[in-house]
Amino acid sequence: MDIYLIKLILVHLIGDFFLQPNAWVKDKERKKLRSIKLYLHVAIHIVLIFLIFLNFGVWKVALSIGVLHFMIDALKSIFQNKKNARILFFVDQVLHFTSIVVVWHFFYKGSLNISFFNETKTWVLIVGALFLTMPTSIVMRVIIAKWLPDNQPDSPQSLQNAGKYIGILERLLIFLFILTNHFEAVGFLLGAKSIFRFGDLKEAHDLKLTEYVLIGTLLSFGIAIVTAMLIQIFIA
């Protein structure tokens, strides 16, 4: 990757995540375009570019990044509310990184190599990863539905759909571990999950619930391992 693009990304990471206190974020959300913190935030990005590049000749790059960053943050502050805050955070970051690439391309004639999107291997990996998310969750739910305990204990403290997302994350981690030939990490993950679940199952004093959780865990791990190994064979 081009050194100039790396430096611009570094500027963004430092400015947006290290040098932007939470109080500034709240101030921007509350006062929007009237927030002094918004302008200070943009100014920090401009100054960081000069510091990282150690060259005042990059003033056009700094100014372009500053203007685009201000426009993106300003639009975010105008349209953001409690309902869309999470989505706008990711949209905001995508737009920032896109603007960085555009500025880099314009001033440094850089170009990203995206030829890997034309490779069969890439699409096989994407299909495998996607299969281990919602499709596998649905398949597992259908398979183990007949073993669902009738007297499941109510857990008001449990996060909504936490089990489903934990399962998705663990399968994606297994997928990554196997494709990078770190099979020992799969065992570590299974051991770590068993330790965390042991206390809950012990306190529940419910054999059916324990067996149900074990079936779900082993099935989730099994599907992830088989899928990863098949993908590994296919792309070898």
Side-chain angles (χ1 to χ4, degrees):
M1 188 179 291
D2 186 81
I3 184 64
Y4 300 113
L5 178 59
I6 294 175
K7 287 184 176 182
L8 290 175
I9 293 174
L10 177 62
V11 166
H12 175 74
L13 294 177
I14 295 174
D16 247 29
F17 296 99
F18 289 92
L19 298 181
Q20 183 175 209
N22 194 49
W24 288 23
V25 176
K26 293 184 180 299
D27 189 79
K28 290 193 298 181
E29 292 175 353
R30 185 173 63 256
K31 298 181 181 178
K32 301 186 183 302
L33 295 181
R34 294 182 292 104
S35 173
I36 299 299
K37 303 299 188 296
L38 172 61
Y39 301 95
L40 286 175
H41 176 62
V42 173
I44 285 175
H45 278 265
I46 294 175
V47 171
L48 281 172
I49 290 177
F50 288 118
L51 292 176
I52 297 294
F53 280 79
L54 294 175
N55 182 0
F56 285 104
V58 298
W59 67 269
K60 291 183 180 180
V61 175
L63 183 61
S64 300
I65 290 291
V67 170
L68 290 172
H69 199 100
F70 172 77
M71 292 173 60
I72 294 169
D73 276 16
L75 288 172
K76 178 189 175 186
S77 66
I78 292 172
F79 293 105
Q80 180 172 305
N81 54 52
K82 291 183 178 180
K83 292 183 178 179
N84 64 17
R86 186 183 295 107
I87 295 175
L88 282 186
F89 169 78
F90 292 103
V91 172
D92 172 76
Q93 292 302 314
V94 169
L95 290 176
H96 282 313
F97 281 107
T98 302
S99 67
I100 288 171
V101 172
V102 169
V103 170
W104 167 68
H105 174 73
F106 182 81
F107 287 100
Y108 297 106
K109 309 303 179 184
S111 60
L112 294 175
N113 183 5
I114 57 173
S115 60
F116 60 89
F117 276 116
N118 294 322
E119 297 180 7
T120 304
K121 181 189 298 186
T122 301
W123 291 103
V124 170
L125 290 171
I126 292 174
V127 170
L130 285 178
F131 171 72
L132 292 175
T133 57
M134 297 303 296
T136 299
S137 295
I138 295 172
V139 170
M140 286 181 55
R141 187 168 67 238
V142 172
I143 293 175
I144 65 178
K146 66 176 182 178
W147 294 306
L148 184 66
D150 297 325
N151 55 338
Q152 292 188 84
D154 295 328
S155 339
Q157 295 181 343
S158 176
L159 298 175
Q160 184 179 11
N161 294 323
K164 178 175 68 176
Y165 294 116
I166 290 173
I168 290 174
L169 288 173
E170 72 184 17
R171 288 192 295 273
L172 289 177
L173 285 173
I174 292 170
F175 187 69
L176 176 64
F177 292 152
I178 292 179
L179 290 179
T180 55
N181 293 315
H182 287 91
F183 289 87
E184 69 282 357
V186 177
F188 174 80
L189 183 63
L190 179 59
K193 182 177 182 180
S194 301
I195 292 172
F196 282 118
R197 293 292 293 176
F198 177 76
D200 296 333
L201 296 174
K202 183 179 179 181
E203 292 176 5
H205 299 292
D206 190 333
L207 180 59
K208 289 184 178 180
L209 178 62
T210 302
E211 292 174 340
Y212 176 78
V213 170
L214 287 174
I215 291 172
T217 298
L218 294 175
L219 184 61
S220 178
F221 272 68
I223 292 176
I225 291 171
V226 171
T227 301
M229 293 185 72
L230 288 175
I231 295 294
Q232 193 176 44
I233 292 172
F234 190 88
I235 65 177

